[in-house]
Amino acid sequence: MGGSLIDIKKRIASTKKTSQITSAMQMVAASKLTKSEQSSRRFQEYASKVRSMTTHLASSQLTAIDNSDFSGFEQEMEMYQQMLIARPVKTVGYIVVTSDKGLAGGYNSSILKNMLEIIKKDEEDGMNVVLMAIGGTGSDFFKHRDLPVAYELRGLSDYPSYSEVRRIVNSALQMYNSEMFDELYVCYNHHVNTLSSSFRAEKILPIVDLDAKEAETYEQEYTLEPSADAILNTLLPLYAESLIYGAVLDSKTAEHAARMTAMKSATENATNIIDDLTISYNRARQAAITEEITEIVGGAAALE
């Protein structure tokens, strides 16, 4: 019985330490979530304007691109204008955003499960797939299954900078321009609220195939200098950057929310375990005391 009491006390102490760790991780995740939500909200205002202007200009300039204003920049011009060209789809590219670390509940499994379904459908339709993995979890998952990972980025910060995402965009544009894939999607978990998120697969390239609702509803009149073509050539990469950067910020927000929820659940489970172990300890201790009293009473009765 003494050994049992000692074991229970050790388990209680161990679970309390675990509870302290998960509670601290919950508070850290909650702090990161608040900051990430603010960053994502502020960026969406900028991204909305860029997308509206780019879609509007692209819809009006697709058939009137003038290269005369870009002498000396033909290669860069051609690279960006490839984003407007729709071609037969033989290969589809996916930028998949996951986390580098675990302890985030079903955050990563939700993304990867949906990606496997998408890849399976593409293969059934006779299309090839090229993956660009942001986050070690997704990269390792795809490589383990011998899926083609053409680009990977690990160690993305909790509050990603625009320069970090620009590297991804440049690589994606180069791959698209060299026809490594004919369409590009960014796939991630969209942050709905603290308790839930939803999987999204948003099309980035080609721009000509995007939903034109923004272009149709954009009625603002503006003066263009030096020309619509010059501005469009500048906005096209910004358009892609805004979509990818917005998705990464959204995904990071969902990750922080999932980690906070997971750590809260772990803390509550640890508390429940401690309560159950405390009851077991008290019962075992009471049984041990009762046994000792019985032995004393039995010994006294034997002496009479």
Side-chain angles (χ1 to χ4, degrees):
M1 184 65 70
S4 177
L5 286 171
I6 293 174
D7 291 340
I8 294 174
K9 286 185 70 175
K10 287 181 178 179
R11 289 188 61 191
I12 291 174
S14 175
T15 307
K16 282 183 177 179
K17 290 180 180 179
T18 301
S19 176
Q20 291 171 352
I21 294 172
T22 56
S23 179
M25 292 178 69
Q26 177 189 341
M27 289 188 289
V28 171
S31 175
K32 290 181 178 180
L33 173 61
T34 300
K35 185 174 180 180
S36 186
E37 283 180 329
Q38 293 173 349
S39 298
S40 181
R41 198 159 40 241
R42 286 195 298 266
F43 178 76
Q44 289 308 319
E45 296 177 7
Y46 160 80
S48 177
K49 294 295 184 182
V50 171
R51 286 195 287 267
S52 295
M53 291 179 62
T54 306
T55 306
H56 178 71
L57 283 172
S59 65
S60 61
Q61 297 295 321
L62 279 175
T63 58
I65 295 178
D66 181 9
N67 291 336
S68 61
D69 292 334
F70 301 99
S71 57
F73 299 93
E74 288 82 0
Q75 184 175 359
E76 182 180 3
M77 178 73 176
E78 180 182 353
M79 175 181 174
Y80 292 150
Q81 289 183 5
Q82 289 291 326
M83 299 168 66
L84 297 173
I85 300 174
R87 51 184 182 242
V89 181
K90 299 178 181 178
T91 304
V92 184
Y94 294 101
I95 299 175
V96 185
V97 187
T98 60
S99 68
D100 287 301
K101 304 174 184 177
L103 300 177
Y107 171 79
N108 288 312
S109 60
S110 171
I111 300 171
L112 298 175
K113 178 182 177 182
N114 281 284
M115 283 309 306
L116 287 180
E117 293 176 357
I118 291 174
I119 293 170
K120 181 180 178 182
K121 184 178 183 302
D122 285 344
E123 291 177 343
E124 290 174 351
D125 293 339
M127 288 187 286
N128 298 317
V129 171
V130 173
L131 299 169
M132 300 179 70
I134 301 178
T137 302
S139 181
D140 293 339
F141 178 86
F142 294 132
K143 287 181 177 180
H144 183 70
R145 286 159 178 77
D146 295 324
L147 293 171
V149 179
Y151 177 92
E152 65 175 307
L153 177 64
R154 298 171 184 261
L156 198 65
S157 61
D158 289 324
Y159 314 109
S161 65
Y162 213 73
S163 59
E164 289 180 277
V165 175
R166 186 172 286 114
R167 288 182 295 161
I168 304 168
V169 176
N170 290 338
S171 297
L173 291 179
Q174 290 172 4
M175 292 180 189
Y176 183 76
N177 193 45
S178 62
E179 299 188 8
M180 284 187 62
F181 45 75
D182 305 301
E183 286 183 342
L184 179 63
Y185 292 80
V186 58
C187 305
Y188 64 100
N189 266 349
H190 163 63
H191 174 65
V192 178
N193 54 49
T194 304
L195 299 176
S196 63
S197 61
S198 61
F199 176 79
R200 281 188 177 180
E202 295 183 346
K203 190 173 184 178
I204 297 178
L205 299 173
I207 293 176
V208 69
D209 282 350
L210 292 177
D211 191 346
K213 287 182 180 179
E214 285 182 293
E216 294 173 358
T217 58
Y218 194 87
E219 299 177 353
Q220 181 69 39
E221 293 295 331
Y222 46 83
T223 301
L224 303 176
E225 292 183 2
S227 68
D229 295 338
I231 294 173
L232 181 60
N233 197 59
T234 301
L235 284 176
L236 286 174
L238 290 178
Y239 180 94
E241 288 175 9
S242 70
L243 285 176
I244 296 175
Y245 187 60
V248 170
L249 286 181
D250 197 357
S251 179
K252 277 293 183 181
T253 305
E255 178 188 342
H256 296 321
R259 183 163 286 111
M260 184 188 73
T261 302
M263 291 302 98
K264 179 182 178 183
S265 178
T267 302
E268 291 173 350
N269 290 337
T271 301
N272 292 334
I273 291 173
I274 291 170
D275 292 341
D276 292 340
L277 288 173
T278 301
I279 292 173
S280 297
Y281 177 81
N282 290 336
R283 287 176 178 172
R285 187 166 176 270
Q286 185 178 14
I289 293 172
T290 302
E291 183 179 347
E292 290 178 4
I293 293 174
T294 302
E295 290 176 354
I296 291 171
V297 171
L303 296 175
E304 292 178 358

